């Protein structure tokens, strides 16, 4: 009787862990995936994009100190 109980619990544990691992990726894998989608642009490229495409939204995430020191960006 004890063997059946142990076997049943073991099967449930294995099934739960098998389903839990499906689709889960590590933090490093997620970071690599996101980094592949990031496009770096320089100032001139950014200015051209902002001047030519009115649908682009620029979110300026600099601190108030940085804004005071460096100034703001139009449409930022």
């Amino acid at each position: 009787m004890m063997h059946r109980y142990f076997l049943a619990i073991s099967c449930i544990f294995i099934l739960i862990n098998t389903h839990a691992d499906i689709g889960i990726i590590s933090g490093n894998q997620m970071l690599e995936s996101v980094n592949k989608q990031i496009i770096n642009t320089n100032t001139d490229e950014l200015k051209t994009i902002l001047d030519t495409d009115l649908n682009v939204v620029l979110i300026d995430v600099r601190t108030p100190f940085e804004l005071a020191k460096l100034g703001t960006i139009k449409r930022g």
Side-chain angles (χ1 to χ4, degrees):
M1 181 70 169
M2 186 62 112
H3 286 349
R4 288 184 188 167
Y5 181 72
F6 178 74
L7 182 59
I9 296 296
S10 297
C11 289
I12 292 170
F13 181 74
I14 290 169
L15 289 173
I16 290 171
N17 282 337
T18 301
H19 290 294
D21 291 338
I22 296 173
I24 297 175
I25 61 173
S26 72
N28 286 338
Q29 289 171 320
M30 186 182 300
L31 186 59
E32 287 175 17
S33 174
V34 170
N35 281 338
K36 289 178 184 176
Q37 299 175 35
I38 294 174
I39 300 170
N40 291 312
T41 60
N42 63 34
T43 306
D44 293 331
E45 291 170 335
L46 177 60
K47 183 173 178 351
T48 301
I49 292 169
L50 291 174
D51 289 343
T52 58
D53 190 348
L54 297 177
N55 293 314
V56 172
V57 176
L58 174 66
I59 301 173
D60 194 343
V61 296
R62 293 178 294 166
T63 65
F65 174 78
E66 291 171 317
L67 292 172
K69 187 86 169 163
L70 302 171
T72 59
I73 300 171
K74 286 185 181 179
R75 292 185 49 209

